Amino acid sequence: ANNHTILSNKIKENGRGIFLRQPFNMTIAKNKIAKNIGRGIDLINSDNNTIKRNKILDNGDVGIFLDIDSDENRVLFNRVFGNTPFDIQDEGTDNVFKGNRCGTSSPANICIN
């Protein structure tokens, strides 16, 4: 699906929180994503999406993951803590990160504390 909004949900104790493969122009906002077995938000081959003002806590894998083919996304003002091995991991290019509070990230310059 493209051009949709995932807004104000509680997503917890699932295999994965939110998994998007090849969408564009999606907005993921104001969700609480916690204690999932895998990743909190998982973007695969996904471009031009906005992830903002989510709480992503204590997931068993990366909190917010953008794969190498996920480009030109905006990740803004999220609170991301307690995820393993990183709170936010960006493998893509030209993604924008602003105001994210998190403990660990790859690359290291994504989080503010």
Side-chain angles (χ1 to χ4, degrees), residues 43-63:
L43 270 63
I44 305 295
N45 196 21
S46 303
D47 300 331
N48 199 34
N49 300 290
T50 300
I51 301 169
K52 66 180 179 179
R53 300 198 186 282
N54 297 284
K55 292 181 183 175
I56 304 161
L57 309 168
D58 302 319
N59 294 286
D61 204 334
V62 177

Side-chain angles (χ1 to χ4, degrees), residues 1 15 20 32 36-37 40 49 86-87 91 93 97 99-100 108 110:
L20 300 177
K32 183 174 182 183
N36 295 289
I37 295 168
N49 300 290
F86 299 107
D87 291 320
E91 295 180 345
T93 58
F97 295 87
N100 296 292
I110 293 173

Side-chain angles (χ1 to χ4, degrees), residues 21-32:
R21 182 182 296 257
Q22 297 180 323
F24 59 89
N25 295 329
M26 296 286 292
T27 298
I28 301 170
K30 299 182 181 177
N31 299 286
K32 183 174 182 183

Side-chain angles (χ1 to χ4, degrees), residues 1-110:
N2 300 309
N3 303 308
H4 292 285
T5 299
I6 301 170
L7 177 66
S8 298
N9 296 284
K10 291 182 181 176
I11 301 167
K12 65 179 193 169
E13 299 176 356
N14 296 294
R16 264 187 284 210
I18 296 173
F19 175 61
L20 300 177
R21 182 182 296 257
Q22 297 180 323
F24 59 89
N25 295 329
M26 296 286 292
T27 298
I28 301 170
K30 299 182 181 177
N31 299 286
K32 183 174 182 183
I33 303 165
K35 298 182 182 177
N36 295 289
I37 295 168
R39 294 175 178 152
I41 297 176
D42 193 356
L43 270 63
I44 305 295
N45 196 21
S46 303
D47 300 331
N48 199 34
N49 300 290
T50 300
I51 301 169
K52 66 180 179 179
R53 300 198 186 282
N54 297 284
K55 292 181 183 175
I56 304 161
L57 309 168
D58 302 319
N59 294 286
D61 204 334
V62 177
I64 299 174
F65 177 79
L66 294 86
D67 84 325
I68 195 166
D69 295 316
S70 294
D71 304 315
E72 298 180 8
N73 296 288
R74 292 155 308 285
V75 182
L76 312 169
F77 304 105
N78 297 282
R79 184 173 171 254
V80 192
F81 289 99
N83 303 282
T84 305
F86 299 107
D87 291 320
I88 302 174
Q89 184 174 1
D90 178 29
E91 295 180 345
T93 58
D94 298 322
N95 294 311
V96 174
F97 295 87
K98 182 178 179 184
N100 296 292
R101 297 203 175 273
C102 54
T104 59
S105 68
S106 175
N109 61 345
I110 293 173

